[in-house]
Each structure stands twice: as C-alpha cells, then as structure tokens.
Coordinates of all heavy atoms in Angstrom, one line a residue:
M262 N 16.0 -6.5 33.5 CA 14.9 -6.8 32.6 C 15.1 -6.2 31.3 O 15.5 -5.0 31.2 CB 13.5 -6.2 33.4 CG 12.3 -6.3 32.5 SD 10.8 -6.2 33.4 CE 10.6 -4.4 33.4
T263 N 14.8 -6.9 30.3 CA 14.9 -6.5 28.9 C 13.6 -5.9 28.4 O 12.5 -6.4 28.6 CB 15.2 -7.6 27.9 OG1 16.4 -8.3 28.5 CG2 15.5 -7.1 26.6
G264 N 13.7 -4.7 27.7 CA 12.5 -4.0 27.2 C 12.1 -4.6 25.9 O 12.7 -5.5 25.4
F265 N 11.2 -4.0 25.3 CA 10.6 -4.3 24.0 C 11.7 -4.1 22.9 O 12.2 -2.9 22.9 CB 9.2 -3.6 23.7 CG 8.7 -3.8 22.4 CD1 8.1 -5.1 22.1 CD2 8.7 -2.9 21.4 CE1 7.6 -5.4 20.9 CE2 8.2 -3.2 20.1 CZ 7.5 -4.4 19.8
N266 N 11.9 -5.1 22.1 CA 12.9 -4.8 21.1 C 12.2 -4.6 19.7 O 11.7 -5.4 19.1 CB 13.8 -6.2 20.9 CG 14.9 -5.9 20.0 OD1 14.8 -5.3 18.9 ND2 16.0 -6.4 20.3
V267 N 12.2 -3.3 19.3 CA 11.5 -2.8 18.1 C 12.1 -3.6 16.9 O 11.4 -4.1 16.0 CB 11.6 -1.4 17.9 CG1 11.0 -0.9 16.6 CG2 10.8 -0.7 19.1
N268 N 13.4 -3.7 16.8 CA 14.1 -4.3 15.6 C 13.7 -5.8 15.5 O 13.5 -6.2 14.4 CB 15.6 -4.1 15.7 CG 16.0 -2.7 15.6 OD1 15.4 -1.9 14.9 ND2 17.2 -2.4 16.3
A269 N 13.6 -6.5 16.6 CA 13.2 -7.9 16.6 C 11.8 -8.0 16.1 O 11.4 -8.9 15.3 CB 13.4 -8.5 18.0
A270 N 10.8 -7.1 16.6 CA 9.5 -7.2 16.2 C 9.3 -6.8 14.8 O 8.6 -7.5 14.0 CB 8.7 -6.2 17.0
R271 N 10.1 -5.9 14.2 CA 10.1 -5.5 12.8 C 10.5 -6.7 12.0 O 9.9 -7.0 11.0 CB 10.9 -4.3 12.6 CG 10.9 -3.9 11.0 CD 11.9 -2.8 10.7 NE 11.5 -1.6 11.6 CZ 12.5 -0.9 12.1 NH1 13.7 -1.1 12.1 NH2 12.0 0.2 12.8
A272 N 11.6 -7.3 12.4 CA 12.1 -8.5 11.7 C 11.2 -9.6 11.6 O 11.0 -10.2 10.6 CB 13.5 -8.9 12.3
Q273 N 10.4 -9.8 12.7 CA 9.5 -10.8 12.8 C 8.3 -10.5 11.8 O 7.8 -11.4 11.1 CB 8.8 -11.0 14.2 CG 8.4 -12.3 14.5 CD 8.2 -12.4 16.1 OE1 7.8 -11.3 16.7 NE2 8.3 -13.5 16.7
R274 N 7.8 -9.3 11.8 CA 6.7 -8.9 10.9 C 7.1 -9.0 9.5 O 6.4 -9.6 8.6 CB 6.3 -7.4 11.1 CG 5.4 -7.2 12.4 CD 4.9 -5.7 12.4 NE 5.9 -4.7 12.1 CZ 6.7 -4.1 12.9 NH1 6.6 -4.3 14.2 NH2 7.5 -3.1 12.5
L275 N 8.5 -8.6 9.1 CA 8.8 -8.7 7.7 C 9.1 -10.1 7.3 O 8.8 -10.5 6.1 CB 10.1 -7.8 7.5 CG 9.9 -6.3 7.6 CD1 11.2 -5.6 7.5 CD2 9.0 -5.8 6.6
E276 N 9.5 -11.0 8.2 CA 9.5 -12.4 8.0 C 8.2 -13.0 7.6 O 8.1 -13.8 6.6 CB 10.3 -13.1 9.1 CG 10.5 -14.6 8.8 CD 11.2 -15.2 9.9 OE1 12.0 -14.7 10.7 OE2 10.9 -16.5 10.1
A277 N 7.2 -12.6 8.4 CA 5.9 -13.1 8.1 C 5.2 -12.5 6.9 O 4.6 -13.3 6.1 CB 5.0 -12.8 9.4
L278 N 5.5 -11.2 6.6 CA 4.7 -10.6 5.5 C 5.6 -10.4 4.3 O 5.1 -10.2 3.2 CB 4.2 -9.3 5.9 CG 3.0 -9.2 6.9 CD1 2.8 -7.8 7.4 CD2 1.8 -9.9 6.4
G279 N 6.9 -10.3 4.5 CA 7.8 -9.9 3.4 C 7.8 -8.3 3.3 O 7.1 -7.7 4.1
H280 N 8.6 -7.8 2.4 CA 8.8 -6.4 2.3 C 7.7 -5.7 1.5 O 7.5 -4.5 1.5 CB 10.1 -6.0 1.8 CG 11.3 -6.2 2.8 ND1 11.5 -5.3 3.6 CD2 12.0 -7.3 3.0 CE1 12.6 -5.8 4.5 NE2 12.8 -7.0 4.0
S281 N 7.0 -6.6 0.7 CA 6.0 -6.0 -0.2 C 4.8 -7.0 -0.3 O 4.9 -8.2 -0.1 CB 6.5 -5.7 -1.6 OG 7.0 -6.9 -2.2
W282 N 3.7 -6.4 -0.7 CA 2.4 -7.2 -0.9 C 2.1 -7.0 -2.4 O 2.2 -5.8 -2.9 CB 1.3 -6.6 0.0 CG 0.0 -7.3 -0.1 CD1 -0.5 -8.4 0.5 CD2 -1.1 -6.8 -1.0 NE1 -1.7 -8.7 0.1 CE2 -2.1 -7.7 -0.7 CE3 -1.3 -5.7 -1.9 CZ2 -3.4 -7.6 -1.4 CZ3 -2.5 -5.7 -2.5 CH2 -3.6 -6.5 -2.3
T283 N 1.8 -8.0 -3.0 CA 1.6 -8.0 -4.5 C 0.2 -8.2 -4.8 O -0.6 -8.9 -4.2 CB 2.6 -8.9 -5.2 OG1 2.2 -10.3 -4.9 CG2 4.0 -8.6 -4.9
F284 N -0.2 -7.6 -6.0 CA -1.5 -7.9 -6.6 C -1.4 -8.0 -8.1 O -0.5 -7.2 -8.6 CB -2.6 -7.0 -6.1 CG -2.5 -5.6 -6.6 CD1 -3.2 -5.1 -7.7 CD2 -1.8 -4.6 -5.9 CE1 -3.0 -3.8 -8.2 CE2 -1.7 -3.3 -6.3 CZ -2.3 -3.0 -7.4
E285 N -2.2 -8.7 -8.7 CA -2.2 -8.8 -10.2 C -3.5 -8.1 -10.8 O -4.5 -8.1 -10.2 CB -2.1 -10.2 -10.6 CG -0.8 -10.9 -10.3 CD -0.7 -12.3 -10.8 OE1 -1.5 -12.7 -11.7 OE2 0.2 -13.0 -10.3
L286 N -3.2 -7.4 -11.9 CA -4.3 -6.8 -12.6 C -4.1 -7.0 -14.1 O -3.0 -6.6 -14.6 CB -4.3 -5.2 -12.3 CG -5.3 -4.4 -13.0 CD1 -6.6 -4.8 -12.7 CD2 -5.0 -2.9 -12.6
D287 N -5.0 -7.6 -14.8 CA -4.8 -8.1 -16.2 C -3.5 -8.9 -16.2 O -3.4 -9.9 -15.4 CB -4.8 -6.8 -17.0 CG -6.2 -6.2 -17.0 OD1 -7.2 -6.7 -16.8 OD2 -6.1 -4.9 -17.1
D288 N -2.6 -8.6 -17.0 CA -1.3 -9.3 -17.1 C -0.2 -8.6 -16.4 O 1.0 -8.8 -16.7 CB -1.0 -9.6 -18.6 CG -1.9 -10.5 -19.3 OD1 -2.5 -11.4 -18.6 OD2 -2.2 -10.4 -20.5
D289 N -0.5 -7.7 -15.5 CA 0.5 -6.8 -14.9 C 0.5 -7.2 -13.4 O -0.5 -7.6 -12.8 CB 0.1 -5.4 -15.1 CG 1.3 -4.4 -15.1 OD1 2.4 -4.9 -14.8 OD2 1.1 -3.3 -15.6
S290 N 1.6 -7.0 -12.7 CA 1.8 -7.2 -11.3 C 2.3 -5.9 -10.6 O 3.1 -5.3 -11.2 CB 2.8 -8.4 -11.1 OG 3.0 -8.6 -9.8
F291 N 1.8 -5.7 -9.5 CA 2.1 -4.5 -8.7 C 2.5 -4.8 -7.3 O 2.1 -5.8 -6.7 CB 0.9 -3.5 -8.6 CG 0.5 -3.0 -10.1 CD1 -0.4 -3.7 -10.8 CD2 1.1 -1.9 -10.5 CE1 -0.8 -3.3 -12.0 CE2 0.8 -1.4 -11.9 CZ -0.2 -2.2 -12.5
E292 N 3.3 -4.0 -6.6 CA 3.8 -4.2 -5.3 C 3.4 -3.0 -4.4 O 3.6 -1.9 -4.8 CB 5.3 -4.4 -5.2 CG 5.8 -5.7 -5.9 CD 7.3 -5.9 -5.7 OE1 7.9 -5.1 -5.0 OE2 7.8 -6.8 -6.2
L293 N 2.9 -3.3 -3.2 CA 2.7 -2.3 -2.2 C 3.5 -2.6 -1.0 O 3.7 -3.8 -0.7 CB 1.2 -2.2 -1.8 CG 0.2 -1.9 -3.0 CD1 -1.3 -2.0 -2.4 CD2 0.5 -0.5 -3.5
P294 N 4.0 -1.6 -0.2 CA 4.7 -1.9 1.0 C 3.9 -2.5 2.1 O 2.7 -2.2 2.2 CB 5.3 -0.5 1.3 CG 4.2 0.5 0.9 CD 3.7 -0.2 -0.4
T295 N 4.5 -3.4 2.8 CA 3.8 -4.0 3.9 C 3.9 -3.2 5.2 O 3.2 -3.4 6.2 CB 4.4 -5.5 4.2 OG1 5.7 -5.4 4.4 CG2 4.0 -6.4 3.1
E296 N 4.9 -2.2 5.2 CA 5.0 -1.3 6.3 C 5.2 0.1 5.7 O 5.8 0.3 4.7 CB 6.3 -1.7 7.1 CG 6.2 -3.1 7.7 CD 6.9 -3.1 9.1 OE1 7.7 -2.2 9.4 OE2 6.6 -4.0 9.8
L297 N 4.6 1.1 6.5 CA 4.7 2.5 6.0 C 5.6 3.2 6.9 O 5.5 3.1 8.2 CB 3.3 3.1 6.0 CG 2.3 2.4 5.1 CD1 1.0 3.2 5.2 CD2 2.8 2.4 3.6
T298 N 6.4 4.1 6.3 CA 7.2 5.0 7.2 C 6.3 6.1 7.7 O 5.2 6.4 7.3 CB 8.4 5.6 6.3 OG1 7.7 6.5 5.3 CG2 9.3 4.7 5.6
R299 N 6.8 6.8 8.7 CA 6.1 7.9 9.3 C 5.8 9.0 8.3 O 4.8 9.6 8.2 CB 6.8 8.4 10.6 CG 6.8 7.5 11.7 CD 7.6 8.1 13.0 NE 7.1 9.3 13.3 CZ 7.9 10.5 13.4 NH1 9.2 10.4 13.2 NH2 7.4 11.6 13.8
T300 N 6.8 9.2 7.4 CA 6.7 10.2 6.3 C 5.6 9.8 5.4 O 4.7 10.7 5.1 CB 8.0 10.4 5.5 OG1 9.0 10.8 6.5 CG2 7.9 11.4 4.5
T301 N 5.4 8.6 5.0 CA 4.4 8.2 4.1 C 3.1 8.3 4.8 O 2.1 8.8 4.3 CB 4.6 6.7 3.6 OG1 5.9 6.7 2.9 CG2 3.5 6.4 2.7
A302 N 3.0 7.9 6.0 CA 1.8 8.0 6.9 C 1.3 9.5 6.9 O 0.2 9.8 6.8 CB 2.0 7.4 8.2
R303 N 2.3 10.4 7.2 CA 1.9 11.8 7.2 C 1.4 12.3 5.9 O 0.4 13.1 5.8 CB 3.2 12.6 7.6 CG 2.8 14.0 7.9 CD 4.1 14.8 8.5 NE 4.8 14.1 9.5 CZ 6.1 13.6 9.5 NH1 6.7 13.6 8.3 NH2 6.7 13.0 10.4
E304 N 2.0 11.8 4.8 CA 1.6 12.3 3.4 C 0.2 11.7 3.1 O -0.7 12.4 2.5 CB 2.6 11.8 2.4 CG 3.9 12.5 2.5 CD 5.0 12.0 1.5 OE1 4.8 10.8 1.1 OE2 5.9 12.6 1.4
L305 N -0.1 10.5 3.6 CA -1.4 9.9 3.4 C -2.4 10.7 4.2 O -3.6 10.9 3.7 CB -1.4 8.5 3.8 CG -0.8 7.5 3.0 CD1 -0.6 6.1 3.7 CD2 -1.4 7.3 1.7
R306 N -2.1 11.0 5.4 CA -3.0 11.9 6.3 C -3.3 13.1 5.7 O -4.5 13.6 5.8 CB -2.3 12.0 7.6 CG -3.3 12.7 8.6 CD -2.7 13.0 10.0 NE -1.6 14.0 9.7 CZ -0.4 14.0 10.2 NH1 0.1 12.9 10.9 NH2 0.5 14.9 9.9
D307 N -2.3 13.8 5.0 CA -2.6 15.0 4.4 C -3.5 15.0 3.1 O -3.9 16.1 2.6 CB -1.2 15.7 4.1 CG -0.5 16.1 5.4 OD1 -1.2 16.2 6.5 OD2 0.7 16.3 5.3
L308 N -3.7 13.8 2.5 CA -4.5 13.7 1.3 C -5.9 13.9 1.7 O -6.4 13.7 2.8 CB -4.4 12.3 0.7 CG -3.0 11.9 0.1 CD1 -3.1 10.5 -0.4 CD2 -2.8 12.8 -1.1
D309 N -6.6 14.5 0.7 CA -8.1 14.6 0.8 C -8.7 13.2 0.9 O -8.1 12.3 0.2 CB -8.6 15.3 -0.4 CG -10.1 15.6 -0.4 OD1 -10.9 14.6 -0.8 OD2 -10.6 16.6 0.2
D310 N -9.7 12.9 1.6 CA -10.3 11.7 1.8 C -10.7 11.0 0.5 O -10.8 9.9 0.4 CB -11.5 11.7 2.7 CG -11.1 11.9 4.2 OD1 -9.9 11.8 4.5 OD2 -12.0 12.3 4.9
N311 N -11.0 11.9 -0.5 CA -11.5 11.4 -1.8 C -10.4 11.3 -2.9 O -10.7 11.0 -4.0 CB -12.6 12.2 -2.3 CG -13.8 12.2 -1.4 OD1 -14.2 11.2 -0.9 ND2 -14.4 13.3 -1.1
D312 N -9.1 11.5 -2.5 CA -8.1 11.6 -3.5 C -7.5 10.1 -3.7 O -6.4 9.7 -3.1 CB -6.9 12.5 -2.9 CG -5.9 12.7 -4.0 OD1 -5.9 12.0 -5.1 OD2 -4.9 13.5 -3.8
V313 N -8.2 9.3 -4.4 CA -7.8 7.9 -4.6 C -6.5 7.9 -5.4 O -5.7 7.0 -5.2 CB -9.0 7.2 -5.4 CG1 -8.6 5.8 -5.8 CG2 -10.3 7.2 -4.6
D314 N -6.4 8.7 -6.4 CA -5.2 8.8 -7.2 C -4.0 9.1 -6.3 O -2.9 8.6 -6.5 CB -5.3 9.7 -8.4 CG -6.2 9.1 -9.5 OD1 -6.4 7.9 -9.6 OD2 -6.6 9.9 -10.4
G315 N -4.1 10.0 -5.5 CA -3.0 10.4 -4.6 C -2.6 9.3 -3.7 O -1.5 9.0 -3.5
L316 N -3.6 8.5 -3.1 CA -3.4 7.4 -2.3 C -2.6 6.3 -3.0 O -1.6 5.9 -2.6 CB -4.7 6.8 -1.8 CG -4.6 5.5 -1.1 CD1 -3.9 5.5 0.2 CD2 -6.1 5.0 -1.0
L317 N -3.1 6.0 -4.3 CA -2.4 5.0 -5.1 C -1.1 5.4 -5.4 O -0.1 4.5 -5.5 CB -3.3 4.7 -6.2 CG -4.6 4.0 -6.0 CD1 -5.4 3.8 -7.2 CD2 -4.3 2.5 -5.4
Q318 N -0.9 6.7 -5.8 CA 0.5 7.1 -6.3 C 1.4 7.1 -5.1 O 2.5 6.7 -5.3 CB 0.3 8.6 -6.8 CG 1.5 9.1 -7.5 CD 1.2 10.3 -8.3 OE1 0.1 11.0 -8.0 NE2 2.1 10.7 -9.2
L319 N 1.0 7.4 -3.9 CA 1.9 7.3 -2.7 C 2.3 5.8 -2.4 O 3.4 5.5 -2.2 CB 1.2 7.9 -1.5 CG 1.5 9.3 -1.2 CD1 0.6 9.7 0.0 CD2 2.9 9.6 -0.9
L320 N 1.3 4.9 -2.5 CA 1.6 3.6 -2.2 C 2.3 2.8 -3.4 O 3.2 2.0 -3.0 CB 0.2 2.8 -2.0 CG -0.5 3.2 -0.7 CD1 -1.8 2.5 -0.6 CD2 0.3 3.0 0.6
L321 N 2.0 3.1 -4.5 CA 2.7 2.4 -5.7 C 4.0 3.0 -6.1 O 4.9 2.3 -6.6 CB 1.7 2.4 -6.8 CG 0.4 1.6 -6.9 CD1 -0.5 1.9 -7.9 CD2 0.8 0.1 -6.9
G322 N 4.1 4.3 -5.9 CA 5.3 5.0 -6.4 C 5.0 5.5 -7.8 O 4.1 4.9 -8.5
E323 N 5.8 6.4 -8.3 CA 5.5 7.0 -9.6 C 5.5 6.0 -10.7 O 4.6 6.0 -11.6 CB 6.5 8.1 -9.8 CG 6.2 9.0 -11.0 CD 4.8 9.7 -10.8 OE1 4.6 10.2 -9.7 OE2 4.0 9.9 -11.8
R324 N 6.5 5.2 -10.8 CA 6.7 4.3 -12.0 C 5.5 3.3 -12.0 O 4.9 3.0 -13.1 CB 8.0 3.6 -11.9 CG 9.2 4.5 -12.0 CD 10.4 3.8 -11.7 NE 11.1 3.3 -13.1 CZ 12.1 2.5 -13.1 NH1 12.7 2.0 -12.0 NH2 12.5 2.2 -14.3
Q325 N 5.2 2.7 -10.9 CA 4.1 1.7 -10.9 C 2.8 2.4 -11.2 O 1.9 1.8 -11.8 CB 4.0 1.0 -9.6 CG 5.0 -0.1 -9.3 CD 4.7 -1.0 -8.2 OE1 4.4 -2.1 -8.4 NE2 4.9 -0.5 -7.0
F326 N 2.5 3.7 -10.6 CA 1.3 4.4 -10.8 C 1.1 4.6 -12.3 O -0.1 4.5 -12.8 CB 1.3 5.7 -10.0 CG 0.1 6.4 -10.1 CD1 -1.1 5.9 -9.5 CD2 -0.1 7.6 -10.8 CE1 -2.3 6.5 -9.5 CE2 -1.2 8.2 -10.9 CZ -2.4 7.8 -10.2
V327 N 2.1 5.0 -13.1 CA 2.0 5.2 -14.5 C 1.5 4.0 -15.1 O 0.5 4.1 -16.0 CB 3.3 5.7 -15.1 CG1 3.3 5.7 -16.5 CG2 3.7 7.1 -14.5
R328 N 2.0 2.8 -14.8 CA 1.5 1.5 -15.3 C 0.1 1.2 -14.9 O -0.7 0.8 -15.7 CB 2.4 0.4 -14.9 CG 3.7 0.3 -15.7 CD 4.4 -1.0 -15.4 NE 4.8 -1.2 -14.1 CZ 4.5 -2.2 -13.3 NH1 3.6 -3.1 -13.7 NH2 4.9 -2.2 -12.0
F329 N -0.2 1.5 -13.7 CA -1.5 1.3 -13.1 C -2.6 2.1 -13.8 O -3.7 1.5 -14.1 CB -1.6 1.6 -11.6 CG -2.8 1.2 -10.9 CD1 -3.1 -0.1 -10.5 CD2 -3.8 2.2 -10.7 CE1 -4.3 -0.4 -9.9 CE2 -5.0 1.9 -10.0 CZ -5.2 0.5 -9.7
E330 N -2.3 3.3 -14.1 CA -3.2 4.2 -14.9 C -3.6 3.7 -16.3 O -4.6 4.1 -16.8 CB -2.6 5.6 -14.9 CG -2.8 6.5 -13.7 CD -2.5 7.9 -14.0 OE1 -1.4 8.2 -14.6 OE2 -3.2 8.7 -13.6
K331 N -2.8 2.9 -16.8 CA -3.1 2.4 -18.2 C -4.2 1.4 -18.1 O -4.8 1.0 -19.2 CB -1.8 1.8 -18.8 CG -0.8 2.8 -19.0 CD 0.5 2.3 -19.6 CE 1.5 3.3 -19.9 NZ 2.8 2.9 -20.4
H332 N -4.6 0.8 -17.0 CA -5.6 -0.2 -16.9 C -7.0 0.4 -16.6 O -7.1 1.6 -16.1 CB -5.3 -1.2 -15.7 CG -4.0 -1.9 -15.8 ND1 -4.1 -3.1 -16.5 CD2 -2.8 -1.7 -15.4 CE1 -2.8 -3.6 -16.5 NE2 -2.0 -2.8 -15.8
D333 N -8.0 -0.2 -17.2 CA -9.4 0.2 -16.9 C -9.8 -0.3 -15.6 O -10.3 -1.5 -15.5 CB -10.2 -0.2 -18.1 CG -11.6 0.4 -18.0 OD1 -11.9 1.4 -17.4 OD2 -12.5 -0.3 -18.6
V334 N -9.7 0.5 -14.5 CA -10.0 0.1 -13.2 C -11.2 0.8 -12.7 O -11.3 2.0 -12.8 CB -8.8 0.3 -12.3 CG1 -9.0 -0.2 -10.9 CG2 -7.5 -0.4 -12.8
T335 N -12.1 0.1 -12.0 CA -13.3 0.7 -11.4 C -13.0 1.0 -9.9 O -12.0 0.5 -9.3 CB -14.5 -0.3 -11.4 OG1 -14.2 -1.4 -10.6 CG2 -14.8 -0.7 -12.8
M336 N -13.8 1.8 -9.4 CA -13.6 2.2 -7.9 C -13.9 0.9 -7.1 O -13.3 0.7 -6.0 CB -14.6 3.2 -7.5 CG -14.3 4.6 -8.1 SD -12.7 5.2 -7.7 CE -12.8 5.4 -5.9
Q337 N -14.8 0.0 -7.6 CA -14.9 -1.3 -6.9 C -13.7 -2.2 -6.9 O -13.3 -2.8 -5.9 CB -16.1 -2.1 -7.5 CG -17.5 -1.4 -7.1 CD -17.8 -0.2 -8.0 OE1 -17.0 0.2 -8.9 NE2 -19.0 0.3 -7.8
D338 N -12.9 -2.1 -8.0 CA -11.6 -2.8 -8.1 C -10.7 -2.2 -7.0 O -10.0 -3.0 -6.3 CB -11.1 -2.7 -9.4 CG -11.8 -3.4 -10.6 OD1 -12.6 -4.3 -10.4 OD2 -11.7 -2.9 -11.7
I339 N -10.6 -0.9 -7.0 CA -9.7 -0.3 -6.1 C -10.0 -0.6 -4.7 O -9.2 -0.9 -3.8 CB -9.6 1.3 -6.3 CG1 -9.0 1.5 -7.6 CG2 -8.9 2.0 -5.1 CD1 -9.1 3.0 -8.1
A340 N -11.4 -0.6 -4.3 CA -11.8 -0.9 -3.0 C -11.4 -2.3 -2.6 O -11.0 -2.6 -1.5 CB -13.4 -0.7 -2.8
A341 N -11.6 -3.3 -3.6 CA -11.2 -4.6 -3.3 C -9.8 -4.8 -3.0 O -9.3 -5.6 -2.2 CB -11.7 -5.6 -4.5
I342 N -8.9 -4.1 -3.9 CA -7.5 -4.2 -3.6 C -7.1 -3.6 -2.2 O -6.4 -4.3 -1.4 CB -6.7 -3.4 -4.7 CG1 -6.9 -3.9 -6.0 CG2 -5.3 -3.2 -4.4 CD1 -6.4 -3.1 -7.3
L343 N -7.7 -2.4 -1.8 CA -7.4 -1.9 -0.6 C -7.9 -2.7 0.6 O -7.2 -2.8 1.6 CB -7.9 -0.5 -0.4 CG -7.2 0.5 -1.4 CD1 -7.9 1.9 -1.3 CD2 -5.7 0.7 -1.2
D344 N -9.0 -3.4 0.4 CA -9.6 -4.2 1.4 C -8.7 -5.4 1.7 O -8.3 -5.8 2.8 CB -11.0 -4.7 1.0 CG -11.6 -5.6 2.1 OD1 -11.7 -5.1 3.3 OD2 -12.1 -6.6 1.8
A345 N -8.3 -6.0 0.6 CA -7.3 -7.2 0.7 C -6.0 -6.8 1.2 O -5.5 -7.5 2.1 CB -7.2 -7.9 -0.7
Y346 N -5.5 -5.8 0.8 CA -4.2 -5.1 1.3 C -4.3 -4.9 2.9 O -3.4 -5.4 3.6 CB -3.9 -3.9 0.5 CG -2.6 -3.1 0.9 CD1 -1.4 -3.7 0.9 CD2 -2.8 -1.8 1.4 CE1 -0.3 -3.0 1.2 CE2 -1.6 -1.1 1.7 CZ -0.3 -1.7 1.6 OH 0.8 -1.0 1.9
G347 N -5.4 -4.2 3.3 CA -5.5 -4.0 4.7 C -5.7 -5.2 5.5 O -5.1 -5.3 6.6
K348 N -6.4 -6.2 5.1 CA -6.6 -7.5 5.8 C -5.3 -8.2 5.9 O -5.0 -8.8 6.9 CB -7.6 -8.3 5.1 CG -9.1 -7.8 5.4 CD -10.1 -8.7 4.6 CE -11.4 -8.1 4.8 NZ -12.5 -8.8 4.0
E349 N -4.5 -8.2 4.9 CA -3.3 -9.1 4.9 C -2.1 -8.4 5.6 O -1.2 -9.0 6.0 CB -2.9 -9.5 3.4 CG -3.9 -10.4 2.8 CD -3.6 -11.0 1.5 OE1 -2.4 -11.2 1.2 OE2 -4.6 -11.2 0.8
T350 N -2.1 -7.1 5.6 CA -0.9 -6.3 6.1 C -1.3 -5.6 7.5 O -0.4 -5.3 8.2 CB -0.4 -5.2 5.3 OG1 -1.4 -4.3 5.0 CG2 0.1 -5.8 3.9
G351 N -2.6 -5.6 7.8 CA -3.0 -4.9 9.0 C -3.0 -3.3 8.9 O -3.2 -2.7 9.8
L352 N -2.7 -2.8 7.6 CA -2.7 -1.4 7.6 C -4.0 -0.7 7.5 O -4.2 0.5 7.8 CB -1.9 -1.0 6.3 CG -0.3 -1.3 6.5 CD1 0.4 -1.1 5.1 CD2 0.2 -0.4 7.5
G353 N -5.1 -1.4 6.9 CA -6.5 -1.0 7.0 C -6.7 0.4 6.2 O -7.5 1.2 6.6
L354 N -6.0 0.6 5.1 CA -6.3 1.8 4.3 C -7.7 1.6 3.5 O -8.1 0.5 3.2 CB -5.1 1.9 3.2 CG -3.8 2.1 3.8 CD1 -2.7 2.0 2.7 CD2 -3.7 3.4 4.5
G355 N -8.2 2.8 3.3 CA -9.5 2.8 2.6 C -10.7 2.5 3.5 O -11.8 2.3 3.0
E356 N -10.5 2.3 4.8 CA -11.6 2.1 5.7 C -12.2 3.4 6.2 O -11.5 4.3 6.3 CB -11.1 1.2 6.9 CG -10.7 -0.2 6.5 CD -10.2 -1.0 7.7 OE1 -10.0 -0.5 8.8 OE2 -9.8 -2.1 7.4
D357 N -13.4 3.3 6.5 CA -14.1 4.5 7.2 C -13.8 4.6 8.6 O -13.6 3.7 9.3 CB -15.6 4.6 6.9 CG -15.9 4.7 5.5 OD1 -15.9 5.9 5.0 OD2 -16.0 3.8 4.8

C-alpha cells in the first residue's frame, strides 16, 4: 500500500494556484506566496494581532513592502486584499 505523497500533493496545489498570488493597486502589481513555510507561519503567529504592517511586510517581503507603503491604502483596502487572498489560496489570513 502506498502512503500519502506530500510532494505530489504540493505539485498539484502549485499547478492549480501557481507559486504566487497577485493583486494590483493603482498602477503597481504585487505578489504574495500561495504557500507559507513553517518559519513564516511561526513569524506570523508571533506578530501582535493588530500588526498589519508586520503582516504585510512578512507576506510581501521588504522590497515589495517599501513600494506598497508609497500607496494611500485604507484598512478596508487591506481587509479586501487579505479576504480575496484567503479565499483564493485557502490561507485565510486576516480572519477572526
């Protein structure tokens, strides 16, 4: 009997979702990972629940976060981004 093949399941997920999820803001484009490493998940868990900038910085990475900060973004914009991201990737960030 063959057990569950993690590599095959991962390959299937990445084929369906790709390696990144993108969103556009004004005339700029950003990418978020479709899968999180355990290290990133741990870093997210260690953030304060209200640390929106820390969350975005972890997901976007330093270079994208610097570009993101230049935009006039509301908390509602961020909630909409995280909601769409969670629905499309199954990660469910920003949920209570």
Side-chain angles (χ1 to χ4, degrees):
M262 175 159 89
T263 304
F265 178 72
N266 187 321
V267 174
N268 293 330
R271 179 185 302 135
Q273 209 170 30
R274 284 190 314 269
L275 291 175
E276 184 178 326
L278 291 173
H280 288 274
S281 62
W282 180 84
T283 61
F284 67 94
E285 292 183 17
L286 177 60
D287 300 325
D288 292 329
D289 212 346
S290 180
F291 298 91
E292 293 184 2
L293 298 176
T295 56
E296 299 215 342
L297 299 179
T298 64
R299 289 178 54 236
T300 300
T301 301
R303 190 175 310 112
E304 290 171 346
L305 288 170
R306 185 188 64 227
D307 291 343
L308 289 175
D309 181 271
D310 288 343
N311 296 314
D312 189 357
V313 175
D314 285 342
L316 169 67
L317 292 170
Q318 195 164 12
L319 268 174
L320 294 175
L321 289 166
E323 191 63 39
R324 295 172 94 191
Q325 286 192 107
F326 184 71
V327 168
R328 284 191 295 120
F329 185 83
E330 280 193 306
K331 294 178 181 177
H332 295 274
D333 187 22
V334 181
T335 67
M336 290 305 294
Q337 289 81 358
D338 294 334
I339 293 169
I342 292 166
L343 293 177
D344 183 54
Y346 178 59
K348 286 178 180 172
E349 292 184 35
T350 64
L352 290 173
L354 298 172
E356 295 178 355
D357 289 278

